[in-house]
């Protein structure tokens, strides 16, 4: 009866603006944009964007992500993770595909996930494991 | 069962006489005339309606602006009596429901009845569209789990339903999803300009821990010292227009 497309443009459902702090274990189905501060954990079945001025102290899980700010915690992305040149990541990364721009700071282990559906027990197969040091 | 029409007190002047006569004729032609209550400045809406609500009228119709519509919605919430609207002047609520002064009589006759969520403040004050909290260094708890803090002055809008012209980020508020959209609007000053930054969340309940100065409901009434804002799913029954915006 009503417009059931309740998710916003580009699937974004939640926005944490600059000078806003969120604390807790945040779980949602739609996309998330973080421009402010977040502490705790964040998990979404959708897209995650961490802006240049964002400060995240949390374990992060999302379907796809673009990170340009600071993240202190482990990151697990089912699909593509784009780390831009302004990003500072302190923690382990797991993703199916990763691109890291020149100038980004990445301190932690980076694992490339295999196709989970092709494994017998359903657990993701790790194709490659690489230690990535700071690029600066 | 009869239709009850509640006229806003502002409609008692000569300015609205011709318009009201025209509307009354149209309602009679459509066979949906009914009992009319004209609110006077000192009339208490609750006491005026108490006996009528007990008789379970077919429809309660607000004839006026958002203040009256919002108050009536709060009074009949949970009774399953449909709320009809004949907006006079600008009305955010009627606009969202796709009702104008011109199509209101036809909309009432068509009786497209839907159950919608309603917002509730501190368990007793209701709003149809949105509650706007003026706050300073606010701290909120969403759904009892997430703490949200903002620095400085901020407007916090808890939105149940609205049209899509308000420029909110994130998911569009829906009238029947059992959720509120909470927005934090802040003015960010830089050297050359001011920008409005926006945060958007979805929740069922938000608790105002600190910083609230006042809460405005549907742009019509104002309360102070509010602590809790929640959505109550499906509590309001409304006759809506076919051009509603949600």
């Amino acid at each position: 009866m009503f417009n059931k497309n309740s998710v916003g443009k580009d699937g974004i459902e939640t926005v944490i603006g600059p000078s806003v702090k969120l604390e807790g274990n945040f779980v949602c189905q739609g996309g998330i944009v973080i421009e402010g501060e977040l502490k705790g954990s964040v998990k979404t079945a959708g897209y995650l964007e961490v802006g240049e001025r964002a400060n995240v102290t949390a374990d992060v899980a999302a379907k796809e992500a673009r990170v340009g700010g600071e993240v202190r915690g482990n990151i697990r992305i089912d699909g593509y993770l784009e780390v831009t040149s302004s990003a500072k990541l302190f923690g382990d990364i797991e993703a199916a595909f990763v691109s890291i721009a020149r100038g980004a700071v990445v301190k932690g282990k980076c694992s490339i996930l295999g196709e989970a559906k092709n494994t017998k027990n359903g657990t993701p197969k790790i194709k490659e494991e690489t230690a990535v040091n700071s690029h600066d | 069962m009869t239709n009850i029409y509640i006229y806003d007190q502002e409609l008692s002047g000569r300015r609205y006489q011709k318009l009201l006569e025209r509307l009354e004729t149209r309602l009679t032609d459509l066979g949906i005339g009914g009992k009319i209550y004209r609110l006077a400045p000192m009339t208490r809406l609750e006491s005026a309606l108490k006996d009528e609500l007990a008789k379970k009228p077919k429809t309660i119709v607000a004839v006026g602006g958002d203040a009256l519509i919002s108050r009536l919605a709060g009074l009949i919430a949970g009774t399953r009596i449909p709320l009809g609207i004949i907006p006079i002047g600008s009305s955010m609520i009627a606009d969202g429901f796709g009702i104008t002064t011109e199509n209101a009589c036809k909309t009432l006759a068509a009786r497209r009845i839907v159950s919608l969520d309603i917002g509730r403040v501190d368990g007793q004050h209701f709003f149809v569209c949105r509650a706007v909290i003026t706050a300073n260094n606010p701290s909120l708890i969403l759904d009892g789990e997430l703490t949200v803090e903002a620095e400085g002055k901020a407007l916090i809008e808890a939105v149940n339903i609205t049209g899509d012209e308000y420029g909110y980020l994130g998911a569009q508020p829906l009238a029947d999803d059992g959720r509120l959209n909470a927005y934090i609007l802040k003015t960010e000053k830089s050297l050359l300009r001011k920008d409005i930054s926006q945060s958007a969340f979805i929740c069922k309940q938000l608790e105002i821990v600190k910083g609230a100065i006042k809460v405005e409901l549907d742009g019509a009434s104002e309360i102070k010292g509010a602590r809790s804002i929640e959505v109550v799913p499906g509590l309001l029954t409304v006759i809506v227009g076919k051009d509603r915006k949600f």
Side-chain angles (χ1 to χ4, degrees), chain B residues 94-165:
Chain B
D95 194 38
F97 290 158
I99 304 168
T100 63
T101 309
E102 287 68 38
N103 73 18
C105 297
K106 204 174 169 185
T107 300
L108 283 174
R111 288 187 79 81
R112 284 182 206 88
I113 298 173
V114 296
S115 290
L116 303 177
D117 305 338
I118 192 167
R120 188 164 61 187
V121 179
D122 288 344
Q124 53 182 332
H125 308 285
F126 290 91
F127 62 93
V128 179
C129 285
R130 58 182 173 168
V132 179
I133 306 158
T134 306
N136 203 5
N137 295 317
S139 177
L140 313 170
I141 297 176
L142 306 182
D143 291 335
E145 292 174 352
L146 299 171
T147 303
V148 181
E149 293 179 351
E151 290 173 10
K153 288 181 180 174
L155 279 183
I156 300 156
E157 302 196 2
V159 180
N160 182 38
I161 48 174
T162 187
D164 55 5
E165 72 272 32

Side-chain angles (χ1 to χ4, degrees), chain A residues 15-16 19-24, chain B residues 131-152 154-159 180-186 199-203 205-215 226-230:
Chain A
V15 180
I16 301 170
S19 69
V20 169
K21 297 175 189 173
L22 185 141
E23 200 167 327
Chain B
V132 179
I133 306 158
T134 306
N136 203 5
N137 295 317
S139 177
L140 313 170
I141 297 176
L142 306 182
D143 291 335
E145 292 174 352
L146 299 171
T147 303
V148 181
E149 293 179 351
E151 290 173 10
L155 279 183
I156 300 156
E157 302 196 2
V159 180
L180 287 174
N181 291 46
Y183 304 94
I184 300 174
L185 308 177
K186 275 184 53 57
S199 298
F201 305 95
I202 290 178
C203 62
Q205 189 255 350
L206 69 90
E207 187 185 340
I208 308 160
V209 180
K210 72 176 179 75
I213 297 167
K214 61 179 181 180
V215 181
R227 297 281 300 177
S228 170
I229 298 177
E230 64 187 332

Side-chain angles (χ1 to χ4, degrees), chain B residues 10-226:
Chain B
E10 290 175 10
L11 305 182
S12 56
R14 289 173 62 90
R15 183 182 161 198
Y16 294 103
Q17 199 174 336
K18 280 189 177 174
L19 172 64
L20 293 176
E21 283 173 5
R22 188 161 57 83
L23 289 169
E24 286 163 14
T25 304
R26 181 86 174 113
L27 292 169
T28 306
D29 290 347
L30 290 166
I32 51 172
K35 196 187 274 188
I36 295 172
Y37 280 85
R38 291 179 170 83
L39 295 179
M42 298 302 285
T43 313
R44 274 184 58 82
L45 185 61
E46 292 78 2
S47 50
L49 266 186
K50 194 177 172 185
D51 292 341
E52 293 296 343
L53 286 176
K55 293 177 198 165
K56 294 278 177 192
K58 188 178 178 187
T59 320
I60 297 272
V61 183
V63 185
D66 279 346
L68 177 66
I69 300 167
S70 185
R71 283 173 68 198
L72 270 179
L75 277 176
I76 67 166
T79 64
R80 311 304 297 173
I81 299 167
L83 173 69
I85 297 169
I86 299 178
I88 308 292
S90 66
S91 165
M92 176 176 62
I93 300 171
D95 194 38
F97 290 158
I99 304 168
T100 63
T101 309
E102 287 68 38
N103 73 18
C105 297
K106 204 174 169 185
T107 300
L108 283 174
R111 288 187 79 81
R112 284 182 206 88
I113 298 173
V114 296
S115 290
L116 303 177
D117 305 338
I118 192 167
R120 188 164 61 187
V121 179
D122 288 344
Q124 53 182 332
H125 308 285
F126 290 91
F127 62 93
V128 179
C129 285
R130 58 182 173 168
V132 179
I133 306 158
T134 306
N136 203 5
N137 295 317
S139 177
L140 313 170
I141 297 176
L142 306 182
D143 291 335
E145 292 174 352
L146 299 171
T147 303
V148 181
E149 293 179 351
E151 290 173 10
K153 288 181 180 174
L155 279 183
I156 300 156
E157 302 196 2
V159 180
N160 182 38
I161 48 174
T162 187
D164 55 5
E165 72 272 32
Y166 289 91
Y168 292 128
L169 293 174
Q172 185 184 345
L174 296 177
D176 58 350
D177 63 352
R179 307 189 299 178
L180 287 174
N181 291 46
Y183 304 94
I184 300 174
L185 308 177
K186 275 184 53 57
T187 304
E188 308 284 350
K189 291 179 186 172
S190 61
L191 210 58
L192 296 173
R193 60 179 190 175
K194 285 181 183 175
D195 288 322
I196 304 286
S197 76
Q198 193 179 130
S199 298
F201 305 95
I202 290 178
C203 62
K204 291 178 179 173
Q205 189 255 350
L206 69 90
E207 187 185 340
I208 308 160
V209 180
K210 72 176 179 75
I213 297 167
K214 61 179 181 180
V215 181
E216 191 184 84
L217 307 179
D218 287 330
S221 59
E222 197 175 291
I223 52 175
K224 289 183 179 175

Side-chain angles (χ1 to χ4, degrees), chain A residues 6-109:
Chain A
S6 72
V7 178
K9 284 178 185 172
D10 303 323
I12 299 302
E13 194 178 89
T14 303
V15 180
I16 301 170
S19 69
V20 169
K21 297 175 189 173
L22 185 141
E23 200 167 327
N25 299 319
F26 186 49
V27 180
C28 83
Q29 294 297 312
I32 305 171
V33 174
I34 304 173
E35 298 284 352
E37 280 186 51
L38 187 144
K39 283 184 183 175
S41 69
V42 57
K43 186 176 182 180
T44 174
Y47 175 76
L48 171 73
E49 180 165 334
V50 179
E52 284 184 18
R53 290 188 295 168
N55 196 322
V56 176
T57 306
D59 286 339
V60 171
K63 187 180 176 188
E64 295 207 319
R66 184 173 193 268
V67 179
E70 184 172 320
V71 178
R72 291 180 180 273
N74 298 327
I75 299 174
R76 185 194 165 92
I77 307 299
D78 295 335
Y80 178 52
L81 168 64
E82 181 186 357
V83 181
T84 68
S85 60
S86 56
K88 292 179 181 176
L89 310 185
F90 303 94
D92 296 343
I93 296 170
E94 282 183 280
F97 307 96
V98 182
S99 78
I100 300 174
R102 184 173 182 172
V105 175
V106 181
K107 291 187 176 175
K109 193 170 69 178

